Amino acid sequence: MANKTITLTRVFDAPKDVVWKTWTDPERMKIWWGPKNFTAPVIKNDLRIGGKYLNAMKDPDGKMYWSTGTYKDVRYLEKIVASDSFSDEKGNIVPASQYGMEGMRDELEITVLFEDQGDKTKLTLVHKDFPEGEMYDMCVQGWNESLDKFEAALKASKKPELEL
């Protein structure tokens, strides 16, 4: 079965430095990381080439989904490339089947690009190596829901009473 790539592009009504910070700062990430109705109780982010991240998404039933990866390329305000794997709470890579997701590779790759669009920012997300079918469709939906939450977090950060 061939592997597919998810490519999503959004233009956000915020300057690139705010979009970057909302994407990379652990406290801001907790606001938007994960699909609708999921929370992100744990976000650890060592944003540098060779640095690692460890994130946990919690579904409405309380099940935790851990992921980890290593940064391969980090260009401030421009580009992030990282590996992406399911993990345990210590950051050890585990098969996706441990989370009920069959047929996925142990390691995928995520690239995020940040581009100026006047006073707005174009964000392009590329997530490589998904199996075709249900897993691909679920991940596209999950990313779109996360990006919806990301946009809401950006809008909330514009309110003077809310300091993120």
Side-chain angles (χ1 to χ4, degrees):
M1 188 182 296
N3 286 315
K4 294 180 73 173
T5 296
I6 296 170
T7 302
L8 301 173
T9 300
R10 298 270 185 108
V11 176
F12 297 107
D13 188 14
K16 193 162 58 167
D17 62 328
V18 173
V19 172
W20 176 273
K21 188 169 185 177
T22 303
W23 190 270
T24 60
D25 177 78
E27 290 308 308
R28 290 184 184 214
M29 289 178 71
K30 286 179 181 180
I31 297 168
W32 65 268
W33 186 259
K36 181 176 64 175
N37 300 322
F38 279 64
T39 60
V42 178
I43 301 284
K44 297 179 181 177
N45 197 16
D46 182 10
L47 185 65
R48 60 182 175 84
I49 294 174
K52 295 188 178 291
Y53 68 86
L54 178 65
N55 300 337
M57 297 184 306
K58 187 175 182 181
D59 75 13
D61 296 326
K63 182 176 181 181
M64 299 282 274
Y65 295 82
W66 293 88
S67 62
T68 191
T70 301
Y71 290 105
K72 299 175 178 183
D73 190 1
V74 177
R75 296 183 206 167
Y76 181 66
L77 298 180
E78 290 181 24
K79 181 179 186 179
I80 299 169
V81 180
S83 62
D84 181 48
S85 300
F86 284 101
S87 72
D88 62 19
E89 68 279 358
K90 294 178 182 169
N92 299 307
I93 295 173
V94 300
S97 58
Q98 182 169 314
Y99 291 103
M101 299 180 190
E102 302 297 329
M104 288 184 64
R105 293 180 177 204
D106 287 347
E107 184 176 294
L108 307 178
E109 183 179 272
I110 297 174
T111 299
V112 186
L113 303 171
F114 303 82
E115 299 174 63
D116 284 319
Q117 298 276 292
D119 57 352
K120 298 179 181 187
T121 303
K122 177 179 169 184
L123 184 143
T124 302
L125 175 119
V126 180
H127 205 165
K128 293 181 182 176
D129 292 329
F130 280 93
E132 291 189 62
E134 184 181 7
M135 293 281 54
Y136 176 84
D137 296 339
M138 282 176 43
C139 290
V140 168
Q141 178 181 344
W143 270 120
N144 274 308
E145 290 176 4
S146 292
L147 290 173
D148 291 345
K149 288 168 58 179
F150 183 83
E151 184 168 28
L154 286 171
K155 286 179 182 174
S157 71
K158 287 184 170 185
K159 295 179 183 173
E161 69 275 7
L162 182 62
E163 280 291 320
L164 290 181

